[in-house]
Amino acid sequence: MNAAHLEKLNDRQRAAVEHGVGLPDGKAGGPLLIIAGAGSGKTNTLAHRVAHLIVHGSDPRRILLMTFSRRAASEMARRVERICRRVLGDKAGVMTDALAWAGTFHGIGARILRDYADQIGLDPQFTIHDREDAADLMNLVRHQLGFSKTESRFPAKGTCLSIYSRAVNAEAPLNEVLRASFPWCASWEKQLRELFAGYVEAKQAQNVLDYDDLLLYWAQTMSDPALADEIGGRWDHVLVDEYQDTNRLQATILTGLKPAGRGLTVVGDDAQAIYSFRAATVRNILDFPSEFSPPASVITLDRNYRSTQPILAAANGVIGLAKERFTKNLWTERESHALPCLVTVRDEADQARFVAEEVLENSETGMRLKEQAVLFRASHHSGPLEIELPRRNIPFVKFGGLKFLDSAHVKDLLGALRFAQNMRDRVAGFRIMQLLPGVGPSTAQTALDALAESPEPMETLTALPTPPRASADWPGFVAMLSDLRSRAAGWPAEIGQVRAWYEPHLERIHEDFEMRRADLLQLEDIAAGYPSRERFLTELTLDPPDATSGQAGVPLLDEDYLILSTIHSAKGQEWKSVFVLNTVDGCIPSDLGAGSSDELEEERRLLYVAMTRAKDSLNLVVPQRFFTHGQTSTGDRHVYASRTRFIPNSLLQYFERRSWPLAVAAQETGAQRQVRLDVSARMRGMWR
């Protein structure tokens, strides 16, 4: 058979592609685990394996290919067709069009459940709820059971759905899930069990399934040996991409499809397992070989086609300290003398200025903005940078959460400041009044109409009758505005006053209020850099980050823009130059992710993922000081940050260490040092 389509593969890739193909009587090979390091051509190898199976006579309708997005599945199908065309010519299109079973776990699950609905007691006409619909139904059951009227606050609908989803996908008992991931809800275990039972009954009564059901019903179906044989027998080959991101439920489905492992291929990288918050477990890929007897074959792809050797050496050093992993050291033929940099800066403001200057300097050398990226652990870490970039006229697009100033809670805080500044600002007033429980659109409208006609809006607001359903919160709202109008506290303490008023509402409205609170504290830091409230609001209004980066949609294709991204959202991407912000303990690893050994190991993998996104240049930025909150405008209370524990002294050999900005010693000449008044001589003469 012509193997021209395999010529561009390296030896390891070729071994992975050819494993178990062409056996006598068309038998499928044993289970295969492909450990594909960052930038090692994983997608290309998987596409070649599918194409190689088709070229060697496998029926494409009997190949199941599972990826984590529909886009990835369709891209894979296109690649397979291109590869097949080199060998099969015009027949390739017909062959690959029949690759009908390519999609996500949830998409394939929905098809299977419809096909077997009658046999498992399911109405084939079932509908599927998205997350919002599922949360609304959970809330309805919550109300029916009376849990929304409890004396202490019962978890909101979104939290309840997250707990249910985690327990289902992790195949873990509810008490363990609560203890590990939702400890603040542990006292409600009995009520949550009742709620989830009611939720399941409500779904069945309405003939609906949620996302989790698509996997759960499929897994339950596979528990019947006859059905498992029938369903698993539909495919000769099952291939799974990004196996490190699967949860226990997905692993159960796979072993049900191919209990002996014949024809089963999984691809992934244990060093890039960073989605435990979605119930994914790295154990799936680490334990895969031992799931079968004889154990699965393991082929490691360790040649990197993305990064330079110094970057890989540093990344290998970081992941080499992991407690448990498949041993691999990425290597490349891309040599370079430029080491990755550990850049020490004074604080977050200097960090933002450093990145902006470096980005502009790279642009001067011909590097496009799109070829540069700034990565961070949490979305709010980019706040100061999002303010600095428009000042330098650098457009950007942010991935992983909303832009800082687009977030609802940040808009709420700024809205309060704007309304205090101008009480005839109806947009701001309408927004913040409706934050109060019991104040709806009509009440807010009436109040704003009265303010609009008054020469003294604050006096009018004070004189307005308290809305009956907002009697508890209205006086505090008026008092907060009065304090801001009086300017007694001064700037930037005023923004602290607003935050103190807003925080109870933040906790009431948003489930993730702790993370959102961090954003508000970040905004306080930014505000301290402006001399007045007017200046702060004016500059953010006239030139917000949105103004230069396009609106919420994707910018025009011909525009150039800098990439800002959380590390999670950056997975699978690559750029010529990468900056990683806040490479310090407390940020990487995050304070919230340093509770257990497993969580710490995931944080280590997160840094590894960030480092391996860089092709030519990598800068890890280490701010020395983080200012504490709740101090006066002239306060200087701060804490010193230490470099991330994932880069101990033993790894410093892999990095260039530099400080920014460089201190320039003054070159003083004799002429410049003409003494006009010899104070020293006078001091000596006082006693003579």
Side-chain angles (χ1 to χ4, degrees):
M1 177 72 68
N2 184 3
H5 59 294
L6 305 180
E7 286 178 357
K8 293 184 179 179
L9 302 178
N10 64 43
D11 292 343
R12 294 274 183 91
Q13 290 173 329
R14 186 158 179 162
V17 167
E18 295 180 329
H19 173 84
V21 179
L23 296 178
D25 303 324
K27 288 183 179 177
L32 172 65
L33 169 61
I34 303 173
I35 298 293
S40 63
K42 165 182 68 68
T43 305
N44 189 41
T45 303
L46 190 58
H48 272 84
R49 179 159 175 79
V50 175
H52 196 60
L53 288 168
I54 294 172
V55 168
H56 276 78
S58 295
D59 185 347
R61 291 166 299 185
R62 293 185 60 80
I63 295 176
L64 172 61
L65 174 62
M66 286 193 284
T67 63
F68 272 77
S69 71
R70 285 184 295 179
R71 187 170 61 84
S74 58
E75 172 59 26
M76 189 76 71
R78 283 195 293 273
R79 286 199 187 202
V80 169
E81 183 176 349
R82 284 200 300 271
I83 298 163
C84 287
R85 197 175 294 280
R86 294 178 205 159
V87 184
L88 303 174
D90 294 338
K91 298 178 189 172
V94 178
M95 296 290 285
T96 51
D97 283 344
L99 196 63
W101 291 98
T104 63
F105 269 94
H106 293 87
I108 301 293
R111 291 175 63 182
I112 291 293
L113 294 180
R114 290 207 192 276
D115 287 352
Y116 289 87
D118 293 331
Q119 298 187 49
I120 59 175
L122 197 61
D123 186 336
Q125 302 307 312
F126 65 82
T127 54
I128 300 170
H129 273 179
D130 61 18
R131 289 290 181 199
E132 285 297 317
D133 291 337
D136 288 342
L137 181 57
M138 183 77 77
N139 202 40
L140 184 64
V141 178
R142 182 171 167 269
H143 281 301
Q144 289 171 347
L145 294 172
F147 294 155
S148 54
K149 298 176 182 176
T150 52
E151 288 184 13
S152 59
R153 183 166 165 261
F154 191 79
K157 61 181 183 181
T159 303
C160 293
L161 187 64
S162 296
I163 295 169
Y164 171 82
S165 184
R166 176 64 66 94
V168 166
N169 286 291
E171 294 186 332
L174 180 59
N175 60 335
E176 287 184 14
V177 169
L178 290 173
R179 191 170 62 249
S181 304
F182 302 90
W184 62 92
C185 304
S187 60
W188 297 105
E189 183 186 346
K190 183 182 174 191
Q191 291 86 345
L192 285 168
R193 286 188 186 278
E194 190 180 349
L195 172 62
F196 297 159
Y199 174 61
V200 171
E201 288 168 5
K203 286 189 293 183
Q204 292 179 352
Q206 298 176 32
N207 194 32
V208 298
L209 303 182
D210 61 24
Y211 283 158
D212 301 319
D213 288 334
L214 298 176
L215 299 182
L216 185 57
Y217 275 66
W218 189 5
Q220 292 291 335
T221 303
M222 301 304 290
S223 64
D224 180 85
L227 283 172
D229 283 347
E230 186 177 338
I231 295 172
R234 299 178 72 156
W235 304 289
D236 299 324
H237 301 278
V238 177
L239 301 98
V240 183
D241 196 12
E242 304 287 5
Y243 192 62
Q244 78 278 352
D245 296 334
T246 54
N247 55 46
R248 287 302 313 156
L249 197 54
Q250 289 163 325
T252 300
I253 290 169
L254 280 182
T255 51
L257 287 172
K258 297 292 176 188
R262 289 216 159 269
L264 180 59
T265 301
V266 301
V267 185
D269 183 5
D270 56 294
Q272 297 186 65
I274 57 175
Y275 288 110
S276 64
F277 63 91
R278 295 181 187 167
T281 172
V282 70
R283 295 297 340 160
N284 281 355
I285 194 166
L286 291 174
D287 297 340
F288 182 83
S290 58
E291 292 282 330
F292 306 96
S293 184
S297 302
V298 181
I299 295 176
T300 303
L301 308 182
D302 55 6
R303 179 178 177 181
N304 181 284
Y305 292 90
R306 175 187 298 155
S307 307
T308 61
Q309 188 58 47
I311 291 174
L312 290 182
N316 286 335
V318 168
I319 202 64
L321 298 175
K323 287 186 176 179
E324 189 176 9
R325 68 186 188 108
F326 286 106
T327 304
K328 64 178 177 301
N329 280 307
L330 298 181
W331 63 278
T332 183
E333 293 181 349
R334 294 192 66 218
E335 294 294 338
S336 172
H337 295 295
L339 296 175
C341 284
L342 274 172
V343 185
T344 302
V345 296
R346 186 173 53 200
D347 51 30
E348 289 181 286
D350 268 9
Q351 176 175 247
R353 286 190 284 271
F354 163 74
V355 170
E357 289 198 9
E358 287 290 309
V359 165
L360 289 173
E361 194 173 309
N362 289 341
S363 297
E364 289 297 315
T365 64
M367 191 184 296
R368 298 175 67 202
L369 292 177
K370 284 183 181 177
E371 295 174 323
Q372 306 177 66
V374 184
L375 308 183
F376 31 86
R377 171 65 180 86
S379 187
H380 67 268
H381 289 175
S382 64
L385 184 61
E386 289 182 53
I387 304 298
E388 181 68 24
L389 291 174
R391 289 179 179 169
R392 308 293 187 100
N393 202 27
I394 302 174
F396 70 91
V397 172
K398 182 174 178 181
F399 298 97
L402 291 167
K403 289 190 181 73
F404 186 70
L405 297 184
D406 286 350
S407 310
H409 51 294
V410 174
K411 281 179 172 284
D412 290 342
L413 200 74
L414 292 175
L417 286 172
R418 287 198 176 98
F419 191 59
Q421 188 75 16
N422 172 19
M423 294 190 68
R424 290 183 172 83
D425 187 335
R426 296 181 78 88
V427 172
F430 204 69
R431 182 180 189 97
I432 64 164
M433 281 186 187
Q434 290 189 88
L435 293 173
L436 306 178
V439 176
S442 59
T443 305
Q445 192 74 40
T446 304
L448 289 167
D449 286 344
L451 297 183
E453 295 167 5
S454 169
E456 291 295 331
M458 193 64 238
E459 292 179 10
T460 304
L461 184 67
T462 306
L464 284 175
T466 300
R469 290 184 294 174
S471 56
D473 296 286
W474 186 263
F477 166 66
V478 175
M480 179 271 294
L481 283 176
S482 180
D483 286 344
L484 288 180
R485 297 279 291 180
S486 71
R487 299 182 178 268
W491 181 259
E494 292 167 1
I495 196 168
Q497 287 182 306
V498 179
R499 180 175 59 77
W501 166 81
Y502 178 58
E503 276 190 353
H505 303 293
L506 181 75
E507 185 170 349
R508 176 174 52 81
I509 298 167
H510 299 288
E511 285 296 320
D512 55 345
F513 71 93
E514 284 291 353
M515 292 180 65
R516 293 176 185 264
R517 184 174 177 272
D519 286 348
L520 302 183
L521 293 171
Q522 183 75 69
L523 193 65
E524 281 190 52
D525 284 349
I526 293 168
Y530 292 83
S532 66
R533 182 169 78 201
E534 292 85 355
R535 186 86 170 269
F536 175 65
L537 292 172
T538 300
E539 289 204 19
L540 288 192
T541 304
L542 290 178
D543 198 13
D546 248 359
T548 49
S549 66
Q551 294 306 310
V554 178
L556 299 174
L557 293 177
D558 60 348
E559 290 184 356
D560 197 14
Y561 47 85
L562 180 67
I563 305 295
L564 271 56
S565 174
T566 60
I567 300 172
H568 284 98
S569 296
K571 189 166 170 286
Q573 306 294 315
E574 59 182 44
W575 296 275
K576 282 188 177 180
S577 178
V578 169
F579 302 86
V580 184
L581 302 185
N582 293 354
T583 318
V584 297
D585 262 25
C587 296
I588 305 177
S590 164
D591 282 337
L592 298 173
S596 67
S597 175
D598 286 347
E599 287 173 331
L600 272 177
E601 289 301 306
E602 179 155 328
E603 293 286 316
R604 185 193 310 276
R605 295 193 292 269
L606 205 56
L607 177 59
Y608 173 79
V609 167
M611 293 172 69
T612 52
R613 299 312 94 197
K615 295 165 73 172
D616 300 330
S617 167
L618 174 64
N619 286 280
L620 307 181
V621 193
V622 184
Q624 289 184 302
R625 290 196 296 175
F626 288 82
F627 287 91
T628 58
H629 306 285
Q631 56 182 317
T632 64
S633 59
T634 55
D636 192 36
R637 292 203 306 272
H638 59 272
V639 295
Y640 281 103
S642 57
R643 184 181 70 243
T644 175
R645 69 190 73 179
F646 302 140
I647 305 178
N649 290 340
S650 59
L651 297 183
L652 292 179
Q653 58 182 311
Y654 299 117
F655 296 89
E656 177 188 341
R657 301 174 73 185
R658 54 183 289 210
S659 297
W660 189 94
L662 290 174
V664 181
Q667 299 294 319
E668 298 179 333
T669 64
Q672 290 172 322
R673 292 195 62 187
Q674 290 179 353
V675 178
R676 296 183 62 178
L677 178 66
D678 193 343
V679 176
S680 299
R682 287 193 175 192
M683 298 299 291
R684 291 192 302 273
M686 285 175 65
W687 308 102
R688 295 184 185 273

